[in-house]
Amino acid sequence: MTELAPSSNASSGLRRFLWLLAPLLVLAIAIAWIAAADPLRSFNNGAPPVETITFERTVLNDGGIRVQIRAGGSEDMTVAQVQVDDAYWNFSMAPAGPLARGSTAWIDIPYPWVLGEAHRVKLVTNTGTTFEHEIAVAVPTPVATQGQLVQQAIVGAIVGILPVAIGLMFYPAMRNVGTSGMGFVLALTVGLLAFLLVDMTFEALELAAESAPLFQGPAMVILAALATFLILMGISRRGGRPEGLALAFYIAFGIGLHNFGEGLAIGAAFATGSAGLGTFLVLGFAIHNVTEGIGIAAPIVRQKPHLWAFVALTLVAGAPAVLGMWIGSLAYGTQWSALALGVGAGAILQVMVEVTAFFLRGSGRQRQSWLSPPVLSGFLTGVAFMYVTAAVIKV
């Protein structure tokens, strides 16, 4: 057999490199020519550039009103005037000057807002384009102090960690269920995950619609969910299909991402001063999340994990609620919340696939049909319980 000489291999590699480089050079030349020659200038009829402004955050304090905006126009834009309740007011902006596409700025308005009243802020650019933002109910924006962060951690533990721990406490009772009972429990898990998937997807799309257009919110959510699903599927199938404790941790991880999204929402409500977390609402969150612990325990009822495994499962599923509350109260952005929920939706979908596959394999037990009474009733019970308890916490 004839072997290729080293010089021949080098020549072949050089040719491949040149064929790769050629289209990139042509693309660079085309971009440079378009930027320099501006071939579309003949279509310019004098119309003003397209301008968009997204209001991302509002802060009310003793100094007045602060709003964070993000520019999304086709060209740099300048905020020339500010109105509050149809009256022009002095303002300061940081950073000052024109706003490039995608950049953010804080606008400070020394307006004496009235507690409990509605206010309307209007920005006027140098082209005369106006953008409005409504403050439905004016209340002081809470300041995230160390004491407040501790209180948020307590609330996060109540709505995230405690219910998951309570759900896992059903593990001893679940070990005594028979074949039909096991089918009911696994189907219950799929039912609650199905509700979480639908709920997270719609919530992510709602937040995406409120984000700046340049983030392409809906596409970002769908792509994040798809990428998360494929990545987790690839990881979970590297050593075969996950079962037992491994599957329980995947369920806990997916539920943890869901609780992180819930924490973001609660933290953002705290940051905007609209968090009315009364005892009834906190209890609603806690009851709503109890079934999550039951779902996590389902794949390990035929095993005897160590106590540390239950502690780890509880923290993986519940602790992200605390982290989400902290992040949401300190640095909230609709686009990042939508992205987090999209990632969570992808993780939930991956867990649904794995739990369903685990059920269909039967894991050495007698297999049951999805249409059998125990399985179908388990699935519907999971969906119904999550729906009813979610109605309590929707405000």
Side-chain angles (χ1 to χ4, degrees), residues 275 278 331 339-340:
L339 177 62

Side-chain angles (χ1 to χ4, degrees), residues 129-215:
T129 308
T130 61
F131 300 92
E132 293 189 2
H133 172 62
E134 182 183 7
I135 302 172
V137 181
V139 293
T141 302
V143 179
T145 62
Q146 181 178 357
Q148 292 287 355
L149 292 177
V150 171
Q151 292 181 14
Q152 290 179 43
I154 294 174
V155 174
I158 293 174
V159 303
I161 298 176
L162 179 62
V164 173
I166 293 174
L168 284 171
M169 291 174 67
F170 284 95
Y171 166 78
M174 294 166 61
R175 285 182 54 81
N176 298 322
V177 300
T179 302
S180 297
M182 190 61 193
F184 177 90
V185 172
L186 288 174
L188 178 78
T189 303
V190 176
L192 71 90
L193 291 173
F195 178 88
L196 292 180
L197 175 63
V198 173
D199 184 60
M200 290 182 72
T201 302
F202 278 105
E203 188 173 354
L205 292 175
E206 289 177 3
L207 290 173
E210 300 174 6
S211 63
L214 64 91
F215 289 107

Side-chain angles (χ1 to χ4, degrees), residues 18 31 52 68 89 92 223 227 233 273 275 312 381 386:
L18 292 177
I31 292 174
T52 61
Q68 186 184 42
W89 282 82
S92 61
L223 292 175
M233 284 296 295
T381 299
M386 297 297 283

Side-chain angles (χ1 to χ4, degrees), residues 43-56:
F43 295 97
N44 188 354
N45 58 3
V50 177
E51 296 178 332
T52 61
I53 286 180
T54 303
F55 292 83
E56 293 195 339

Side-chain angles (χ1 to χ4, degrees), residues 189-198 229 247 251 345-358 370 379:
T189 303
V190 176
L192 71 90
L193 291 173
F195 178 88
L196 292 180
L197 175 63
V198 173
F229 170 75
L247 182 56
I251 297 175
I348 291 293
L349 179 60
Q350 183 263 343
V351 172
M352 285 183 62
V353 171
E354 295 294 8
V355 174
T356 303
F358 177 72
W370 272 103
F379 177 81

Side-chain angles (χ1 to χ4, degrees), residues 8-389:
S8 177
N9 289 333
S11 176
S12 176
L14 179 61
R15 284 197 301 270
R16 287 196 297 267
F17 174 74
L18 292 177
W19 279 116
L20 175 64
L21 186 62
L24 296 178
L25 288 175
V26 173
L27 177 62
I29 293 172
I31 292 174
W33 176 79
I34 292 173
D38 191 14
L40 298 179
R41 65 178 179 272
S42 59
F43 295 97
N44 188 354
N45 58 3
V50 177
E51 296 178 332
T52 61
I53 286 180
T54 303
F55 292 83
E56 293 195 339
R57 196 163 186 181
T58 303
V59 175
L60 303 181
N61 52 34
D62 294 338
I65 301 174
R66 299 189 72 210
V67 291
Q68 186 184 42
I69 61 172
R70 186 182 297 273
S74 58
E75 298 179 8
D76 292 358
M77 54 193 303
T78 301
V79 177
Q81 296 175 314
V82 172
Q83 293 181 4
V84 182
D85 296 338
D86 297 325
Y88 287 98
W89 282 82
N90 293 327
F91 71 97
S92 61
M93 188 170 71
L99 289 172
R101 173 181 171 84
S103 62
T104 61
W106 280 97
I107 295 179
D108 291 273
I109 312 166
Y111 181 80
W113 53 273
V114 180
L115 180 66
E117 295 291 329
H119 298 288
R120 187 176 297 274
V121 178
K122 181 185 293 185
L123 306 184
V124 185
T125 68
N126 59 339
T127 64
T129 308
T130 61
F131 300 92
E132 293 189 2
H133 172 62
E134 182 183 7
I135 302 172
V137 181
V139 293
T141 302
V143 179
T145 62
Q146 181 178 357
Q148 292 287 355
L149 292 177
V150 171
Q151 292 181 14
Q152 290 179 43
I154 294 174
V155 174
I158 293 174
V159 303
I161 298 176
L162 179 62
V164 173
I166 293 174
L168 284 171
M169 291 174 67
F170 284 95
Y171 166 78
M174 294 166 61
R175 285 182 54 81
N176 298 322
V177 300
T179 302
S180 297
M182 190 61 193
F184 177 90
V185 172
L186 288 174
L188 178 78
T189 303
V190 176
L192 71 90
L193 291 173
F195 178 88
L196 292 180
L197 175 63
V198 173
D199 184 60
M200 290 182 72
T201 302
F202 278 105
E203 188 173 354
L205 292 175
E206 289 177 3
L207 290 173
E210 300 174 6
S211 63
L214 64 91
F215 289 107
Q216 306 170 74
M220 177 183 67
V221 168
I222 299 301
L223 292 175
L226 179 61
T228 302
F229 170 75
L230 293 176
I231 291 172
L232 291 178
M233 284 296 295
I235 294 174
S236 67
R237 296 298 178 94
R238 283 188 308 173
R241 295 177 177 178
E243 295 185 0
L245 190 59
L247 182 56
F249 269 106
Y250 276 109
I251 297 175
F253 178 72
I255 289 175
L257 290 176
H258 168 262
N259 287 334
F260 178 76
E262 281 189 348
L264 280 176
I266 298 174
F270 167 82
T272 57
S274 58
L277 287 178
T279 303
F280 182 75
L281 187 58
V282 172
L283 287 176
F285 268 108
I287 296 173
H288 177 71
N289 292 341
V290 165
T291 51
E292 296 175 351
I294 298 175
I296 294 171
I300 56 176
V301 295
R302 303 306 182 194
Q303 300 179 353
K304 294 183 179 180
H306 292 288
L307 180 61
W308 68 263
F310 291 96
V311 175
L313 289 168
T314 301
L315 293 178
V316 169
V322 178
L323 182 62
M325 287 191 67
W326 285 341
I327 295 176
S329 64
L330 296 174
Y332 176 73
T334 54
Q335 65 274 8
W336 308 128
S337 295
L339 177 62
L341 290 172
V343 171
I348 291 293
L349 179 60
Q350 183 263 343
V351 172
M352 285 183 62
V353 171
E354 295 294 8
V355 174
T356 303
F358 177 72
F359 169 79
L360 293 178
R361 289 196 301 272
S363 189
R365 301 182 302 276
Q366 179 182 353
R367 297 184 181 183
Q368 303 177 72
S369 167
W370 272 103
L371 297 179
S372 64
V375 175
L376 188 59
S377 61
F379 177 81
L380 295 178
T381 299
V383 173
F385 183 86
M386 297 297 283
Y387 178 84
V388 172
T389 54

